[in-house]
Amino acid sequence: MVARFLDHCNEMPWAWTVGHVDEFFGDLRAQRHLSRSTIRAYQNGLRLFCDYLTDPRYGWDTVCETTFGTHPSQVVHEWNSAGHHQENEQDPRKRAFTRSELQAFFDRADDEVDLIRARGRKGWLPAFRDAVLFKVAYGWGLRRNEVRHLQTVDFSRNPHAREFGRFGQLQVRYGKAHAGSAPKRRSVLTVRRWSAEVVEHWLTRGLPQFGDGLDLFPTERGTLVSEAALSARFRRYRDDLGLDDRLDLHSFRRSYVTHLLEDGIDAMFVQHQVGHEHASTTALYSCVSSDYRTRTLRHALDTCLKEALAAAPRNEIPPRNGS
């Protein structure tokens, strides 16, 4: 970050100004459309470097004053940098797939495999791999980096759900880490039969053609499939279908949370499945559809009405003929 800032302003650290900071990060927002959290992380890195330069314990201020006739100063302050004022900073434009959109996307991914194979071209195998990867990301509610790092040994049986066979649960080893910590591990239970069938089909029909490695989604060179390649293919399928450009790879995870809640799965179970420490975080991922909200409201109203009728006093009907 320091090197990039240096190249941008073409000034040495003892000549940096607040104006250089405003211009640099203004360009990052306007040209690269970086998120607020990313901008804040970059600004924090630059702030820490300036703290190091200006700390008298290291003596750089004296060296610069003696050598150049001036000294460095802190140029990143609270008033010219992005603050962290609320827990939820996700882009409000992002959302989950509807069920029909999700089915259309998966059909488009499968059609790509069939189309390439029909033309006798080599690209069908990477297309097959990515189609399975997209389904696995949704089927287990995984982040992009989590699904990229999966290996065949990460699946195991769940003794309480034998119908899923050897794919009853999934060990995620590259979960999102806290700052300065190693990736978090978690176990995700399989909840949909078709997701286990998708992986079984990939292990028997597709993966063996990549070799004998443990990685579930390798490339032909034996490396992990790149995030850039996945994002490019995702955007192409999305745009071909004319879907909302607010949908991204992370929308598979949002959809997983949303659809489980719509299906009546307990919110605490969903929270543990996706590895959230707080229920409020899971709630942010939920984009419950209007149909689900309508059904929930109808059920609540019907329940209240039934209870009210049950509690109302009944008028006694006098017996006939004195009986």
Side-chain angles (χ1 to χ4, degrees), residues 30-169:
Q31 297 178 10
R32 296 186 55 190
H33 307 290
L34 298 184
S35 67
R36 183 180 181 86
S37 59
T38 302
I39 291 291
R40 185 173 58 249
Y42 289 173
Q43 290 173 340
N44 188 53
L46 193 59
R47 179 189 291 111
L48 291 175
F49 180 72
C50 290
D51 284 342
Y52 164 69
L53 286 183
T54 57
D55 193 321
R57 292 175 296 179
Y58 298 107
W60 289 117
D61 53 346
T62 304
V63 171
C64 290
E65 186 71 40
T66 303
T67 308
F68 307 110
T70 185
H71 57 82
S73 61
Q74 179 61 266
V75 293
V76 183
H77 306 276
E78 289 187 6
W79 50 267
N80 71 333
S81 60
H84 192 178
H85 303 296
Q86 59 185 21
E87 181 180 356
N88 177 25
E89 290 190 337
Q90 64 176 334
D91 189 338
R93 299 172 299 174
K94 303 299 184 182
R95 65 172 179 84
F97 285 91
T98 66
R99 295 177 188 265
S100 59
E101 288 175 338
L102 193 66
Q103 186 62 57
F105 187 93
F106 289 156
D107 290 343
R108 173 67 183 86
D110 292 338
D111 291 343
E112 180 80 0
V113 181
D114 296 337
L115 180 62
I116 297 176
R117 293 193 69 172
R119 293 177 176 175
R121 299 171 61 182
K122 296 181 179 179
W124 73 269
L125 192 55
F128 184 18
R129 175 202 63 207
D130 293 350
V132 174
L133 185 148
F134 292 147
K135 295 172 185 176
V136 169
Y138 168 70
W140 281 272
L142 304 180
R143 300 178 178 90
R144 178 171 50 188
N145 199 48
E146 293 173 349
V147 70
R148 286 178 59 245
H149 282 89
L150 289 181
Q151 294 186 334
T152 56
V153 295
D154 293 332
F155 290 97
S156 60
R157 297 181 181 274
N158 180 357
H160 302 288
R162 299 183 182 276
E163 62 268 31
F164 298 126
R166 57 177 174 147
F167 305 105
Q169 60 183 343

Side-chain angles (χ1 to χ4, degrees), residues 105 108-109 112-113 116 123-131 134 225 227-240 249:
F105 187 93
R108 173 67 183 86
E112 180 80 0
V113 181
I116 297 176
W124 73 269
L125 192 55
F128 184 18
R129 175 202 63 207
D130 293 350
F134 292 147
V225 59
E227 294 186 9
L230 287 175
S231 297
R233 189 184 292 275
F234 177 92
R235 289 192 297 268
R236 181 159 62 86
Y237 291 170
R238 180 197 64 193
D239 296 343
D240 288 347
L249 271 169

Side-chain angles (χ1 to χ4, degrees), residues 7-39:
D7 291 340
H8 176 85
C9 64
N10 198 29
E11 294 285 354
M12 298 306 289
W14 51 85
W16 288 350
T17 66
V18 170
H20 292 141
V21 173
D22 293 342
E23 181 182 354
F24 176 69
F25 288 106
D27 288 347
L28 290 183
R29 293 189 186 94
Q31 297 178 10
R32 296 186 55 190
H33 307 290
L34 298 184
S35 67
R36 183 180 181 86
S37 59
T38 302
I39 291 291

